[in-house]
Coordinates of all heavy atoms in Angstrom, one line a residue:
M1 N -21.8 51.3 -3.1 CA -23.0 50.8 -3.5 C -22.9 49.5 -4.3 O -23.7 48.6 -4.2 CB -23.7 51.9 -4.5 CG -25.1 51.6 -4.8 SD -26.1 51.8 -3.3 CE -27.7 51.9 -4.1
N2 N -21.8 49.3 -5.0 CA -21.6 48.1 -5.7 C -21.3 46.9 -4.8 O -21.7 45.8 -5.1 CB -20.4 48.2 -6.7 CG -20.7 49.0 -7.9 OD1 -21.9 49.1 -8.3 ND2 -19.8 49.6 -8.6
K3 N -20.7 47.2 -3.6 CA -20.4 46.1 -2.7 C -21.7 45.6 -2.1 O -21.9 44.4 -1.9 CB -19.6 46.6 -1.5 CG -18.1 46.8 -1.9 CD -17.3 47.2 -0.7 CE -15.9 47.3 -1.0 NZ -15.1 47.6 0.2
I4 N -22.7 46.5 -1.9 CA -24.0 46.0 -1.4 C -24.7 45.2 -2.4 O -25.3 44.1 -2.1 CB -24.9 47.2 -1.0 CG1 -24.2 48.0 0.2 CG2 -26.3 46.8 -0.7 CD1 -24.9 49.3 0.6
K5 N -24.7 45.6 -3.7 CA -25.3 44.8 -4.8 C -24.7 43.4 -4.9 O -25.4 42.5 -5.2 CB -25.3 45.6 -6.1 CG -26.2 46.7 -6.1 CD -26.2 47.4 -7.5 CE -27.2 48.6 -7.5 NZ -27.2 49.2 -8.8
K6 N -23.4 43.3 -4.7 CA -22.7 42.1 -4.9 C -23.0 41.1 -3.7 O -23.0 39.9 -3.8 CB -21.2 42.3 -4.9 CG -20.7 42.9 -6.2 CD -19.2 43.0 -6.2 CE -18.7 43.7 -7.5 NZ -17.3 43.9 -7.6
N7 N -23.3 41.7 -2.5 CA -23.6 40.9 -1.3 C -25.0 40.5 -1.1 O -25.4 39.8 -0.3 CB -23.1 41.7 -0.1 CG -21.6 41.7 0.0 OD1 -20.9 40.9 -0.5 ND2 -21.1 42.8 0.6
I8 N -25.9 41.0 -2.0 CA -27.4 40.7 -1.8 C -27.6 39.2 -1.9 O -28.4 38.7 -1.1 CB -28.2 41.5 -2.8 CG1 -28.2 43.0 -2.3 CG2 -29.6 41.0 -2.9 CD1 -29.0 43.9 -3.2
P9 N -27.1 38.5 -2.9 CA -27.3 37.0 -2.9 C -26.9 36.3 -1.6 O -27.6 35.4 -1.1 CB -26.6 36.5 -4.1 CG -26.4 37.7 -5.0 CD -26.3 38.9 -4.1
A10 N -25.7 36.7 -1.1 CA -25.2 36.1 0.1 C -26.1 36.4 1.3 O -26.4 35.6 2.1 CB -23.8 36.6 0.4
I11 N -26.6 37.7 1.4 CA -27.5 38.1 2.5 C -28.8 37.3 2.4 O -29.4 36.8 3.4 CB -27.7 39.6 2.4 CG1 -26.4 40.3 2.8 CG2 -28.9 40.0 3.4 CD1 -26.5 41.8 2.6
L12 N -29.3 37.1 1.2 CA -30.6 36.4 1.0 C -30.4 34.9 1.4 O -31.3 34.3 2.0 CB -31.1 36.5 -0.5 CG -31.6 37.9 -0.9 CD1 -31.9 37.9 -2.4 CD2 -32.8 38.3 0.0
I13 N -29.3 34.3 1.1 CA -29.1 32.9 1.4 C -29.0 32.8 2.9 O -29.6 31.9 3.5 CB -27.8 32.4 0.8 CG1 -28.0 32.3 -0.7 CG2 -27.3 31.1 1.4 CD1 -26.8 31.9 -1.5
I14 N -28.3 33.7 3.6 CA -28.2 33.7 5.1 C -29.6 33.9 5.7 O -30.0 33.1 6.6 CB -27.2 34.7 5.6 CG1 -25.8 34.4 5.1 CG2 -27.3 34.9 7.1 CD1 -24.7 35.4 5.4
L15 N -30.4 34.8 5.2 CA -31.7 35.0 5.7 C -32.6 33.8 5.5 O -33.4 33.4 6.3 CB -32.3 36.2 5.1 CG -31.8 37.6 5.5 CD1 -32.4 38.7 4.8 CD2 -32.0 37.8 7.0
G16 N -32.4 33.1 4.3 CA -33.2 31.9 4.1 C -32.9 30.8 5.0 O -33.7 30.1 5.5
V17 N -31.6 30.6 5.3 CA -31.2 29.6 6.3 C -31.7 29.9 7.7 O -32.2 29.0 8.4 CB -29.6 29.5 6.3 CG1 -29.1 28.6 7.4 CG2 -29.1 28.9 5.0
V18 N -31.6 31.1 8.1 CA -32.1 31.5 9.4 C -33.6 31.3 9.5 O -34.2 30.7 10.5 CB -31.8 33.0 9.8 CG1 -32.5 33.5 11.0 CG2 -30.3 33.1 9.9
L19 N -34.4 31.7 8.5 CA -35.8 31.5 8.4 C -36.2 30.0 8.4 O -37.1 29.6 9.1 CB -36.4 32.2 7.2 CG -37.9 32.2 7.1 CD1 -38.5 32.9 8.3 CD2 -38.4 32.8 5.8
F20 N -35.4 29.2 7.7 CA -35.6 27.8 7.7 C -35.5 27.2 9.1 O -36.4 26.4 9.5 CB -34.6 27.1 6.8 CG -34.7 25.6 6.8 CD1 -35.6 24.9 6.0 CD2 -33.8 24.8 7.6 CE1 -35.7 23.5 6.0 CE2 -33.9 23.5 7.6 CZ -34.8 22.8 6.8
F21 N -34.5 27.6 9.9 CA -34.3 27.0 11.2 C -35.4 27.5 12.2 O -35.9 26.8 13.0 CB -32.9 27.3 11.8 CG -31.9 26.4 11.2 CD1 -31.0 26.9 10.3 CD2 -31.8 25.1 11.6 CE1 -30.0 26.0 9.8 CE2 -30.9 24.2 11.1 CZ -30.0 24.7 10.2
L22 N -35.9 28.8 12.0 CA -36.9 29.3 12.8 C -38.3 28.5 12.6 O -39.0 28.3 13.5 CB -37.1 30.8 12.6 CG -36.1 31.7 13.2 CD1 -36.4 33.1 12.7 CD2 -36.0 31.6 14.7
V23 N -38.5 28.2 11.3 CA -39.8 27.6 11.0 C -39.8 26.1 11.3 O -40.7 25.5 11.9 CB -40.1 27.8 9.5 CG1 -41.3 26.9 9.1 CG2 -40.4 29.2 9.2
F24 N -38.7 25.4 11.0 CA -38.7 23.9 11.2 C -38.0 23.4 12.4 O -38.0 22.2 12.7 CB -38.0 23.3 9.9 CG -38.8 23.5 8.7 CD1 -38.4 24.4 7.7 CD2 -40.0 22.8 8.5 CE1 -39.2 24.6 6.6 CE2 -40.8 23.0 7.4 CZ -40.4 23.9 6.4
S25 N -37.4 24.2 13.3 CA -36.8 23.7 14.5 C -38.0 23.6 15.5 O -38.8 24.5 15.7 CB -35.7 24.7 15.0 OG -36.3 25.9 15.3
R26 N -38.0 22.5 16.2 CA -39.0 22.2 17.2 C -38.4 21.9 18.5 O -37.4 21.1 18.5 CB -39.9 21.0 16.7 CG -40.8 21.3 15.6 CD -41.7 20.2 15.4 NE -42.9 20.5 14.6 CZ -44.0 21.1 15.0 NH1 -44.1 21.3 16.3 NH2 -44.9 21.4 14.2
A27 N -38.9 22.5 19.5 CA -38.4 22.1 20.9 C -39.4 21.1 21.4 O -40.6 21.3 21.3 CB -38.4 23.4 21.7
R28 N -38.9 20.1 22.0 CA -39.8 19.0 22.6 C -39.7 19.1 24.1 O -38.6 19.3 24.7 CB -39.3 17.6 22.1 CG -39.4 17.5 20.6 CD -39.6 16.0 20.3 NE -39.6 15.8 18.8 CZ -40.7 15.9 18.1 NH1 -41.8 16.3 18.6 NH2 -40.6 15.7 16.8
T29 N -40.8 19.0 24.7 CA -40.9 19.0 26.2 C -41.6 17.8 26.7 O -42.6 17.4 26.1 CB -41.7 20.3 26.6 OG1 -41.0 21.4 26.1 CG2 -41.7 20.4 28.1
S30 N -41.1 17.2 27.7 CA -41.7 16.1 28.4 C -41.7 16.4 29.9 O -40.7 16.8 30.4 CB -41.0 14.8 28.2 OG -41.0 14.4 26.8
A31 N -42.9 16.2 30.5 CA -43.0 16.5 31.9 C -44.2 15.8 32.5 O -45.1 15.4 31.8 CB -43.2 18.0 32.1
I32 N -44.2 15.6 33.8 CA -45.3 15.1 34.5 C -46.1 16.4 35.0 O -45.6 17.2 35.6 CB -44.9 14.3 35.7 CG1 -44.2 13.0 35.2 CG2 -46.1 13.9 36.6 CD1 -43.7 12.1 36.3
V33 N -47.4 16.4 34.6 CA -48.2 17.6 34.8 C -49.6 17.2 35.3 O -50.0 16.1 35.2 CB -48.4 18.4 33.5 CG1 -47.0 18.9 32.9 CG2 -49.1 17.6 32.4
Q34 N -50.3 18.2 35.8 CA -51.7 18.1 36.1 C -52.4 19.0 35.2 O -52.0 20.0 34.7 CB -51.9 18.6 37.6 CG -53.3 18.2 38.1 CD -53.5 18.4 39.5 OE1 -52.7 19.1 40.2 NE2 -54.5 17.9 40.1
L35 N -53.6 18.5 34.8 CA -54.4 19.2 33.8 C -55.3 20.3 34.5 O -55.8 20.0 35.6 CB -55.3 18.3 33.0 CG -54.5 17.1 32.3 CD1 -55.5 16.2 31.6 CD2 -53.4 17.6 31.4
S36 N -55.4 21.4 33.9 CA -56.2 22.5 34.5 C -57.5 22.7 33.8 O -58.5 22.7 34.4 CB -55.3 23.8 34.5 OG -56.1 24.9 34.9
E37 N -57.4 22.9 32.5 CA -58.6 23.1 31.7 C -58.6 22.2 30.5 O -57.6 22.1 29.8 CB -58.6 24.6 31.1 CG -58.6 25.6 32.2 CD -58.4 27.0 31.7 OE1 -58.7 27.2 30.5 OE2 -57.9 27.9 32.4
I38 N -59.7 21.5 30.3 CA -59.7 20.5 29.2 C -60.8 20.8 28.3 O -62.0 21.0 28.7 CB -60.0 19.0 29.8 CG1 -58.9 18.7 30.8 CG2 -60.0 18.0 28.7 CD1 -59.2 17.4 31.6
S39 N -60.5 21.0 27.0 CA -61.5 21.1 26.0 C -61.2 20.2 24.8 O -60.2 19.5 24.9 CB -61.6 22.6 25.5 OG -60.4 22.9 24.8
K40 N -62.0 20.1 23.8 CA -61.8 19.2 22.7 C -60.5 19.4 21.9 O -59.9 18.5 21.5 CB -63.0 19.2 21.8 CG -63.0 18.2 20.7 CD -64.3 18.2 19.9 CE -64.2 17.1 18.9 NZ -65.4 17.0 18.1
D41 N -60.2 20.7 21.8 CA -59.0 21.0 20.9 C -57.8 21.6 21.7 O -56.8 21.8 21.1 CB -59.4 22.0 19.8 CG -60.0 23.3 20.4 OD1 -60.3 23.4 21.6 OD2 -60.1 24.3 19.6
S42 N -57.9 21.8 23.0 CA -56.7 22.3 23.7 C -56.9 21.9 25.2 O -57.9 21.7 25.7 CB -56.6 23.8 23.6 OG -57.6 24.4 24.3
I43 N -55.7 21.9 25.8 CA -55.6 21.5 27.3 C -54.6 22.5 27.9 O -53.6 22.8 27.3 CB -55.2 20.1 27.5 CG1 -56.2 19.1 27.0 CG2 -54.9 19.8 29.0 CD1 -55.8 17.7 27.0
V44 N -54.9 22.9 29.1 CA -53.9 23.7 29.9 C -53.3 22.8 30.9 O -54.0 22.2 31.7 CB -54.6 24.9 30.5 CG1 -53.6 25.7 31.4 CG2 -55.2 25.9 29.5
V45 N -52.0 22.7 30.8 CA -51.2 21.8 31.8 C -50.5 22.7 32.8 O -50.1 23.8 32.5 CB -50.3 20.9 31.0 CG1 -51.0 20.0 30.1 CG2 -49.2 21.7 30.3
I46 N -50.3 22.2 34.0 CA -49.6 22.8 35.0 C -48.5 21.9 35.4 O -48.7 20.8 35.9 CB -50.5 23.1 36.3 CG1 -51.7 23.9 35.9 CG2 -49.7 23.8 37.4 CD1 -52.7 24.1 37.0
N47 N -47.2 22.4 35.3 CA -46.1 21.6 35.7 C -45.8 21.7 37.2 O -46.5 22.4 37.9 CB -44.8 22.0 34.8 CG -44.3 23.4 35.1 OD1 -44.7 24.0 36.0 ND2 -43.4 23.8 34.3
A48 N -44.7 21.1 37.6 CA -44.4 21.1 39.1 C -44.1 22.4 39.6 O -44.2 22.7 40.8 CB -43.2 20.1 39.3
L49 N -43.6 23.4 38.8 CA -43.3 24.7 39.3 C -44.6 25.6 39.3 O -44.5 26.8 39.7 CB -42.3 25.4 38.4 CG -40.9 24.7 38.4 CD1 -40.0 25.3 37.3 CD2 -40.3 24.7 39.7
G50 N -45.7 25.1 38.8 CA -46.9 25.9 38.8 C -47.1 26.7 37.5 O -48.0 27.5 37.4
E51 N -46.3 26.5 36.5 CA -46.4 27.2 35.3 C -47.5 26.6 34.4 O -47.5 25.4 34.3 CB -45.1 27.2 34.5 CG -43.9 27.8 35.2 CD -42.6 27.6 34.6 OE1 -42.5 26.6 33.8 OE2 -41.7 28.4 34.8
K52 N -48.3 27.4 33.9 CA -49.4 26.9 33.0 C -49.0 27.1 31.6 O -48.4 28.1 31.2 CB -50.7 27.7 33.3 CG -51.3 27.5 34.6 CD -52.6 28.2 34.7 CE -53.3 27.9 36.1 NZ -54.6 28.6 36.2
T53 N -49.3 26.1 30.8 CA -49.0 26.1 29.3 C -50.2 25.5 28.6 O -50.8 24.5 28.9 CB -47.8 25.2 29.0 OG1 -46.7 25.6 29.8 CG2 -47.5 25.2 27.6
M54 N -50.7 26.3 27.6 CA -51.8 25.8 26.8 C -51.2 25.0 25.6 O -50.3 25.4 24.9 CB -52.7 26.9 26.2 CG -53.9 26.4 25.5 SD -55.0 27.7 24.9 CE -54.1 28.2 23.4
V55 N -51.8 23.8 25.4 CA -51.3 22.9 24.4 C -52.4 22.4 23.5 O -53.5 22.0 24.0 CB -50.6 21.6 25.0 CG1 -50.0 20.7 24.0 CG2 -49.6 22.0 26.0
R56 N -52.2 22.5 22.1 CA -53.3 22.1 21.2 C -53.3 20.6 21.2 O -52.3 19.9 21.3 CB -53.0 22.6 19.8 CG -53.2 24.0 19.6 CD -53.1 24.4 18.1 NE -51.8 24.0 17.6 CZ -51.5 23.8 16.3 NH1 -52.5 24.0 15.4 NH2 -50.3 23.4 15.9
V57 N -54.5 20.0 21.0 CA -54.7 18.6 21.0 C -55.1 18.1 19.6 O -56.0 18.6 19.1 CB -55.8 18.2 22.0 CG1 -56.0 16.7 22.0 CG2 -55.4 18.6 23.4
P58 N -54.3 17.2 19.1 CA -54.7 16.6 17.7 C -56.0 15.8 17.9 O -56.3 15.3 18.9 CB -53.5 15.8 17.3 CG -52.7 15.6 18.5 CD -53.0 16.6 19.5
S59 N -56.7 15.6 16.8 CA -58.0 15.0 16.8 C -57.8 13.5 17.2 O -58.8 12.9 17.6 CB -58.6 15.1 15.4 OG -57.8 14.5 14.4
K60 N -56.7 12.9 17.1 CA -56.5 11.5 17.4 C -56.5 11.2 18.9 O -56.7 10.1 19.4 CB -55.2 10.9 16.8 CG -54.0 11.5 17.4 CD -52.7 10.9 16.7 CE -51.5 11.6 17.3 NZ -50.3 11.1 16.7
I61 N -56.4 12.3 19.8 CA -56.4 12.1 21.2 C -57.8 12.4 21.7 O -58.4 13.5 21.5 CB -55.4 13.0 21.9 CG1 -54.0 12.6 21.5 CG2 -55.5 13.0 23.4 CD1 -52.9 13.5 22.0
D62 N -58.4 11.5 22.5 CA -59.8 11.7 23.0 C -59.6 12.3 24.4 O -59.2 11.7 25.4 CB -60.4 10.3 23.2 CG -61.8 10.4 23.7 OD1 -62.4 11.5 23.7 OD2 -62.4 9.4 24.2
T63 N -60.1 13.6 24.5 CA -59.9 14.3 25.7 C -61.0 14.0 26.7 O -60.9 14.4 27.9 CB -59.9 15.8 25.5 OG1 -61.1 16.2 24.8 CG2 -58.7 16.3 24.6
S64 N -62.1 13.3 26.3 CA -63.2 13.0 27.2 C -62.8 12.0 28.3 O -63.4 11.9 29.4 CB -64.4 12.5 26.5 OG -64.1 11.2 25.9
T65 N -61.7 11.3 28.1 CA -61.2 10.3 29.1 C -60.2 10.9 30.1 O -59.8 10.2 31.1 CB -60.6 9.1 28.4 OG1 -59.4 9.6 27.7 CG2 -61.5 8.4 27.5
L66 N -59.8 12.2 29.9 CA -58.8 12.8 30.8 C -59.5 13.4 32.1 O -60.6 13.8 32.0 CB -58.1 13.9 30.1 CG -57.4 13.5 28.8 CD1 -56.8 14.7 28.1 CD2 -56.3 12.4 29.1
N67 N -58.8 13.3 33.2 CA -59.3 13.8 34.5 C -58.4 14.9 35.0 O -57.2 14.7 35.1 CB -59.3 12.6 35.4 CG -59.9 12.9 36.8 OD1 -60.3 14.0 37.0 ND2 -59.9 11.9 37.6
E68 N -59.0 16.0 35.5 CA -58.2 17.1 36.0 C -57.5 16.7 37.4 O -56.6 17.4 37.8 CB -59.0 18.3 36.2 CG -59.5 18.9 34.9 CD -60.3 20.2 35.1 OE1 -60.4 20.6 36.2 OE2 -60.7 20.7 34.1
Q69 N -58.0 15.7 38.0 CA -57.4 15.3 39.3 C -56.2 14.4 39.2 O -55.5 14.2 40.2 CB -58.5 14.6 40.2 CG -59.7 15.4 40.4 CD -59.5 16.7 41.0 OE1 -58.7 16.9 41.9 NE2 -60.2 17.8 40.5
S70 N -55.9 13.8 38.1 CA -54.8 12.9 37.9 C -53.6 13.6 37.3 O -53.7 14.7 36.8 CB -55.2 11.8 36.9 OG -56.3 11.1 37.4
Y71 N -52.4 13.0 37.5 CA -51.2 13.5 36.9 C -50.9 12.7 35.6 O -51.1 11.5 35.6 CB -50.0 13.3 37.9 CG -50.1 14.3 39.0 CD1 -50.8 14.1 40.2 CD2 -49.5 15.6 38.8 CE1 -50.9 15.0 41.2 CE2 -49.5 16.5 39.9 CZ -50.2 16.2 41.0 OH -50.3 17.2 42.0
Y72 N -50.4 13.4 34.6 CA -50.1 12.7 33.3 C -48.6 13.0 32.9 O -48.1 14.1 33.2 CB -51.0 13.3 32.2 CG -52.5 12.9 32.5 CD1 -53.3 13.7 33.2 CD2 -53.0 11.8 31.9 CE1 -54.6 13.4 33.5 CE2 -54.3 11.4 32.1 CZ -55.1 12.2 32.9 OH -56.4 11.9 33.1
L73 N -48.1 12.1 32.2 CA -46.8 12.3 31.5 C -47.1 12.7 30.1 O -47.8 12.0 29.3 CB -46.0 11.0 31.5 CG -44.7 11.0 30.7 CD1 -43.7 12.0 31.3 CD2 -44.1 9.7 30.6
V74 N -46.7 14.0 29.8 CA -47.0 14.5 28.5 C -45.8 14.8 27.7 O -44.7 15.1 28.3 CB -47.9 15.8 28.6 CG1 -49.2 15.5 29.2 CG2 -47.1 16.9 29.3
S75 N -45.9 14.7 26.4 CA -44.8 15.1 25.6 C -45.4 16.0 24.5 O -46.4 15.6 23.8 CB -44.1 13.9 24.9 OG -43.2 14.3 24.0
Y76 N -44.9 17.2 24.4 CA -45.4 18.2 23.4 C -44.3 18.9 22.7 O -43.2 19.0 23.2 CB -46.4 19.1 23.9 CG -46.0 20.0 25.1 CD1 -45.4 21.2 24.8 CD2 -46.1 19.6 26.4 CE1 -45.0 22.1 25.8 CE2 -45.7 20.4 27.4 CZ -45.2 21.7 27.1 OH -44.8 22.5 28.2
S77 N -44.5 19.4 21.5 CA -43.5 20.1 20.8 C -44.0 21.5 20.4 O -45.2 21.8 20.4 CB -43.2 19.4 19.5 OG -44.3 19.2 18.7
S78 N -43.1 22.4 20.3 CA -43.4 23.8 19.9 C -42.3 24.3 19.0 O -41.2 23.8 19.0 CB -43.5 24.6 21.1 OG -42.3 24.6 21.8
S79 N -42.7 25.3 18.2 CA -41.7 25.9 17.3 C -42.0 27.4 17.4 O -42.9 27.9 18.1 CB -41.9 25.5 15.8 OG -43.1 25.9 15.3
F80 N -41.2 28.2 16.7 CA -41.2 29.6 16.8 C -42.5 30.2 16.3 O -43.1 31.1 16.9 CB -40.0 30.2 15.9 CG -39.9 31.7 16.1 CD1 -39.4 32.2 17.2 CD2 -40.3 32.5 15.1 CE1 -39.2 33.6 17.4 CE2 -40.1 33.9 15.2 CZ -39.6 34.4 16.3
F81 N -43.1 29.6 15.3 CA -44.3 30.2 14.7 C -45.6 29.5 15.1 O -46.7 29.9 14.8 CB -44.2 30.2 13.2 CG -43.2 31.2 12.6 CD1 -42.1 30.7 12.0 CD2 -43.4 32.5 12.8 CE1 -41.1 31.6 11.5 CE2 -42.5 33.4 12.3 CZ -41.3 33.0 11.7
Q82 N -45.5 28.3 15.7 CA -46.7 27.5 16.0 C -46.8 27.4 17.5 O -45.9 27.4 18.3 CB -46.5 26.1 15.4 CG -46.5 26.1 13.9 CD -46.3 24.7 13.3 OE1 -46.0 23.8 14.1 NE2 -46.5 24.5 12.1
R83 N -48.1 27.2 17.9 CA -48.4 26.9 19.3 C -47.9 25.5 19.7 O -47.6 24.7 18.9 CB -49.9 27.1 19.5 CG -50.4 28.5 19.3 CD -51.8 28.7 19.7 NE -52.7 27.7 19.1 CZ -54.0 27.6 19.3 NH1 -54.5 28.4 20.1 NH2 -54.7 26.7 18.7
N84 N -47.9 25.3 21.0 CA -47.6 24.0 21.5 C -48.6 22.9 21.0 O -49.7 23.2 20.9 CB -47.5 24.0 23.0 CG -46.6 25.0 23.6 OD1 -45.5 25.2 23.0 ND2 -46.9 25.7 24.7
R85 N -48.1 21.7 20.7 CA -48.9 20.7 20.2 C -48.5 19.3 20.8 O -47.4 19.0 20.9 CB -48.8 20.6 18.7 CG -49.9 19.7 18.1 CD -49.8 19.6 16.6 NE -49.9 18.2 16.3 CZ -49.0 17.5 15.7 NH1 -47.9 18.1 15.2 NH2 -49.1 16.2 15.5
F86 N -49.5 18.6 21.4 CA -49.3 17.3 22.0 C -48.7 16.3 21.0 O -49.1 16.2 19.9 CB -50.6 16.7 22.5 CG -50.9 17.1 23.9 CD1 -52.0 17.8 24.2 CD2 -50.0 16.7 25.0 CE1 -52.3 18.1 25.5 CE2 -50.3 17.0 26.3 CZ -51.5 17.8 26.6
D87 N -47.7 15.6 21.5 CA -47.2 14.4 20.8 C -47.8 13.2 21.4 O -48.2 12.3 20.7 CB -45.7 14.3 20.8 CG -45.0 15.5 20.0 OD1 -45.6 16.0 19.0 OD2 -44.0 15.9 20.5
K88 N -47.8 13.1 22.7 CA -48.4 12.0 23.4 C -48.8 12.4 24.8 O -48.2 13.3 25.4 CB -47.5 10.7 23.4 CG -46.3 10.8 24.2 CD -45.6 9.5 24.2 CE -44.4 9.6 25.2 NZ -43.7 8.3 25.3
I89 N -49.7 11.6 25.4 CA -50.1 11.8 26.8 C -50.5 10.5 27.4 O -51.1 9.7 26.7 CB -51.3 12.8 26.9 CG1 -51.6 13.1 28.4 CG2 -52.5 12.4 26.1 CD1 -52.6 14.3 28.6
E90 N -50.0 10.2 28.6 CA -50.4 9.0 29.3 C -50.4 9.2 30.7 O -49.7 10.1 31.3 CB -49.4 7.9 28.9 CG -47.9 8.2 29.2 CD -47.0 7.1 28.6 OE1 -47.0 6.9 27.4 OE2 -46.2 6.6 29.4
I91 N -51.2 8.4 31.4 CA -51.4 8.6 32.9 C -50.1 8.3 33.6 O -49.4 7.3 33.2 CB -52.6 7.9 33.4 CG1 -53.0 8.4 34.8 CG2 -52.4 6.4 33.4 CD1 -54.4 8.3 35.1
S92 N -49.8 9.1 34.6 CA -48.6 8.8 35.4 C -49.0 8.0 36.6 O -50.0 8.3 37.3 CB -47.9 10.1 35.8 OG -46.8 9.9 36.7
H93 N -48.2 7.0 36.9 CA -48.6 6.1 38.1 C -47.8 6.5 39.3 O -46.7 6.9 39.4 CB -48.3 4.7 37.7 CG -49.1 4.2 36.6 ND1 -50.4 3.9 36.7 CD2 -48.8 4.0 35.3 CE1 -50.8 3.5 35.5 NE2 -49.9 3.6 34.6

């Protein structure tokens, strides 16, 4: 029992480090996609493999100018606890 009590601070530090990486690590994705569903606060993108991904849109991006028939180069990030979020979007030529 004493060994467990002595190891509690070490276990808490390890759990804190793991939790830090889960919260603050972000995966970034860039791809050429076609848009499926466009709304003011989210967009569903379809990649070349046909996989659909819903991405939140920040208020600085105007979704009214986007067209479902065009292809776009998108960059978005995601983390363990948060949904996907656009970093940038531009039309692909």
Side-chain angles (χ1 to χ4, degrees):
M1 190 71 165
N2 285 337
K3 285 185 178 184
I4 294 174
K5 286 183 179 180
K6 288 181 181 179
N7 290 331
I8 286 179
I11 292 170
L12 290 176
I13 290 172
I14 291 171
L15 288 175
V17 169
V18 169
L19 185 62
F20 175 81
F21 282 107
L22 286 176
V23 170
F24 292 106
S25 64
R26 290 189 163 272
R28 298 206 185 274
T29 303
S30 295
I32 295 179
V33 298
Q34 190 170 16
L35 307 181
S36 173
E37 301 170 23
I38 303 171
S39 69
K40 186 176 181 175
D41 59 347
S42 68
I43 295 175
V44 176
V45 298
I46 303 173
N47 67 10
L49 298 174
E51 299 171 336
K52 291 184 177 183
T53 305
M54 186 175 81
V55 183
R56 286 188 307 158
V57 178
S59 59
K60 66 181 179 181
I61 296 178
D62 182 18
T63 58
S64 65
T65 61
L66 301 176
N67 181 2
E68 292 182 5
Q69 304 302 322
S70 300
Y71 286 89
Y72 293 88
L73 174 63
V74 297
S75 176
Y76 59 90
S77 58
S78 60
S79 70
F80 186 73
F81 292 112
Q82 296 178 346
R83 295 188 305 179
N84 302 324
R85 192 179 131 237
F86 269 117
D87 294 327
K88 69 176 186 175
I89 184 169
E90 55 190 58
I91 194 150
S92 177
H93 298 285

